[in-house]
């Protein structure tokens, strides 16, 4: 099982922190990947919120910016929940958790899926982590760290 440290941005409200924590618990429950808390000085993922909803972000509910290697393994990522669109498009708490699960899926190397039941469906707000999503993570991280 692979792990990745995360730091919850101080700009997030307690409600938004709860949304992220629920998404992290869902990924950790798969048993194939584990997010662990990091500190401001030492983490790989920063979790935050933004009200940016103009330009290319005008309909998005979440976005992930990543840096890493060409093989899809990331060294750093910034995840944002776009809270203004949550209100504008009437996202429920569960919808918001699914968006956070989707964005966290990107941080562990998952791309968009065409599977209508996948959390990684591009326009997802209704699907949680599916068995297929969990299997994809298991395949991606099936070897111990450093073993090829």
């Amino acid at each position: 099982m692979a792990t990745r440290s995360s730091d919850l941005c101080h700009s997030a409200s307690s409600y938004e922190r709860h949304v992220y924590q629920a998404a992290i618990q869902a990924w950790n429950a798969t048993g194939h990947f584990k997010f662990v808390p990091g500190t401001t000085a030492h983490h790989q993922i920063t979790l935050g919120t933004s009200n940016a909803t103009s330009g290319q972000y005008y309909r998005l509910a979440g976005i992930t910016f990543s840096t890493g290697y060409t093989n899809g393994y990331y060294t750093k990522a910034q995840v944002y929940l776009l809270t203004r669109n949550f209100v504008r498009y009437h996202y429920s708490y569960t919808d918001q958790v699914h968006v956070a699960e989707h964005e966290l899926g990107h941080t562990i190397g998952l791309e968009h899926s065409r599977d209508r039941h996948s959390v990684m469906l591009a326009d997802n707000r209704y699907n949680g982590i599916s068995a297929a999503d969990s299997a994809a993570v298991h395949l991606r991280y099936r070897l111990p760290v450093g073993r090829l």
Side-chain angles (χ1 to χ4, degrees):
M1 176 179 2
T3 61
R4 185 138 309 152
S5 62
S6 61
D7 180 43
L8 195 50
C9 183
H10 298 290
S11 68
S13 72
S14 62
Y15 176 84
E16 293 148 350
R17 289 174 189 260
H18 189 67
V19 168
Y20 273 123
Q21 289 166 348
I24 287 168
Q25 287 174 354
W27 275 114
N28 288 354
T30 68
H32 301 302
F33 195 90
K34 184 171 184 173
F35 289 97
V36 296
T39 63
T40 302
H42 179 71
H43 62 276
Q44 295 166 296
I45 303 168
T46 302
L47 307 173
T49 61
S50 175
N51 284 321
T53 57
S54 61
Q56 63 187 9
Y57 309 123
Y58 83 103
R59 290 192 53 116
L60 297 179
I63 191 161
T64 298
F65 299 101
S66 303
T67 57
Y69 304 107
T70 56
N71 64 4
Y73 288 94
Y74 302 123
T75 56
K76 288 269 187 192
Q78 294 176 307
V79 176
Y80 295 98
L81 298 179
L82 303 180
T83 55
R84 184 176 294 162
N85 283 346
F86 284 164
V87 173
R88 178 181 292 156
Y89 299 113
H90 309 289
Y91 278 61
S92 70
Y93 169 78
T94 303
D95 295 342
Q96 293 174 40
V97 171
H98 292 159
V99 170
E101 290 170 352
H102 174 96
E103 296 307 327
L104 289 171
H106 286 309
T107 71
I108 58 180
L110 298 180
E111 298 293 331
H112 287 146
S113 172
R114 292 184 182 150
D115 179 351
R116 292 187 351 239
H117 304 289
S118 172
V119 76
M120 296 311 296
L121 184 68
D123 293 342
N124 181 52
R125 77 186 259 186
Y126 302 113
N127 303 313
I129 300 164
S130 70
D133 298 319
S134 182
V137 172
H138 176 70
L139 287 172
R140 183 158 183 82
Y141 293 97
R142 68 186 174 269
L143 296 176
V145 174
R147 305 283 308 268
L148 286 179

